[in-house]
Amino acid sequence: MTDAEQEIVLLSLRVALLAVGASLAPGIGIGWLLARWRHPLRPLLQGLVMLPLVLPPVVTGYLLLFALGRSRPLGEAWHALTGGRIAFTTGACVIAAAVVGFPLLVEAIRISMLAVDPRLEQVSRSLGRGPFHTFFRVTLPLSLPGVAAGAVLSFARALGEFGATIVLAGNVAGETRTIPIAVYTLLNVRGGEAAAVRLVLVSVLLALGALLVSFWLSTREPRS
Amino acid sequence: MRHGANGALEIEVGIRHRLGDFVLDVELATDGPVLGVFGASGSGKTTLLHAIAGLIRPDAARIVIEGRELCARPGGVWQPPERRHLALVTQDALLFPHRDVRGNLVFAPGARDRLASDDGRRILEVLRIEALLDRGVRDLSGGERQRVALARALLASPRALLLDEPTSALDAELSRDVLGLLRQVKQELGIPMVFVTHRAAELLALADDCLVLEGGRGVAQGPPIEVLRRPRALGTASLAGVDNLLRLPVSSQDPEGGVTILDLGAGASLRVPLHEAGAEGRLDVGFYADDVLLFLERPRGMSARNALDCVVRSVEGVGPEVLVGLRVGARDIHARVTAAAADELSLRAGLPLVAVVKTAAIHVLGER
């Protein structure tokens, strides 16, 4: 691999890690809401969270651009706050990857929290522990394998993100050119095929590794 | 510990709560210290206990424990479960699977310090936990799990324990063991309890006051032995297991043999676990109808101490089982056998039989 290719792989890894890192806390919160919240609005929330899974990624990217573009309220607020922009930066790659990987993360967390016996939470409350302590000492530890599996899965999804990224972040070498975008670019260049194949290989290995880790995690029981 | 020195538990409860077609509608006032809530499954026992614990929000309720209002709905006070200091122990021990025994015991606020204190050591001793401390909870037996759950609840230093059928997931022998521990907890640690059960013998062994629930309503309240003797309550009891409740004069004590001998009248006697006689020289005892074995002839070479000559008075089919009324001495008792066994013995009124009851199967309830 050339230095340029290594840089592309490192950028991809960094984007995917940041995307998962940023979605972990909200993913746990929403996963818990979807597992435990009894409210007529819950299906709507679930639908919104799942939407990026079924929307064409290009559409997701367009919607994000629509919300975060320079002339939009959110983009403007960001500009006023930092003097920078969101679209067409590494940050945009992270946002696109996070949004597209979010349903996988939330669904894994939701399912593992559903499997936690709510009576354990009741016992915790009756032993004098409030809802926060109960969540962090009972619910979360018991659903940790699912949280980890979901994180790995959404990490793998983030590595492969193309459609939303190309719309929201474009194709800026060294800044937004992740593995899939680089492969697409190389395939359109005469003589780029060898480099494309090397990146494809790395891509396959990373994805397979992540899947194996996620399978292993989801079959593990919480420590005892 | 937080409860009063005399171990009394003043509870005032008024609850109305609708769950689909089911309505729980209970008014209750008691001094405890152990309140038994008795009823068949579906009578609303667990719902009542959960309302007291604060695990459900009843449509309308006023719950006062020791003068402190925990709940006044709609529109009034709402204390969440963690502020009520009422520790719940359920049928499945519900130990936290990601923590070992010690991790479970120190879960409640302050439990870590309490575990190291004299109170804590006393709890571990009574419940025989020391040897289990560093074990994982997955490989504990059913009885061990229930002991750990009890210790965990006690180490939360609750005002009272809320017990939801704590023995019904255990076999007969283990449930007697846990019941014995609960009596010890009551007597030696002086913790008040609200105790939900569908077994009359447990009620008799543990409760001072008793509420009988039927279809979500309280149908009787009072000392267990009186409540269970009322015909209406016995209607409830027959759903869950008719039990033999007897108040008998003590004829002699045999400390070496570990038995107290009670007079059944007409020359018959009943050997029960050694117990001091009550004020009038009487004892209340109870045993399950399932624990009475029937023989056509007097068996030989038998460990059970009670082989009682008796005569069948009634044979009544209840589903796949048969309830047999027996005259022993001057008293009536019941035995429960399968329909097949009743056929094989050709059970009919007037048939002479020998009824065998293990001494250890008889609960001495003291004289109240």
Side-chain angles (χ1 to χ4, degrees), chain B residues 288-309:
Chain B
Y288 289 110
D290 311 79
D291 284 335
V292 181
L293 304 177
L294 300 179
F295 294 83
L296 289 173
E297 290 169 27
R298 179 163 290 270
R300 289 157 35 113
M302 177 183 62
S303 66
R305 299 325 302 153
N306 294 300
L308 309 164
D309 289 311

Side-chain angles (χ1 to χ4, degrees), chain A residues 28 124 130-142 144, chain B residues 98-99 107:
Chain A
I28 288 171
S124 163
F132 285 99
H133 190 105
T134 296
F135 178 76
F136 285 107
R137 298 291 175 82
V138 178
T139 318
L140 190 56
L142 285 173
L144 222 45
Chain B
H98 57 303
R99 292 167 159 254
F107 185 82

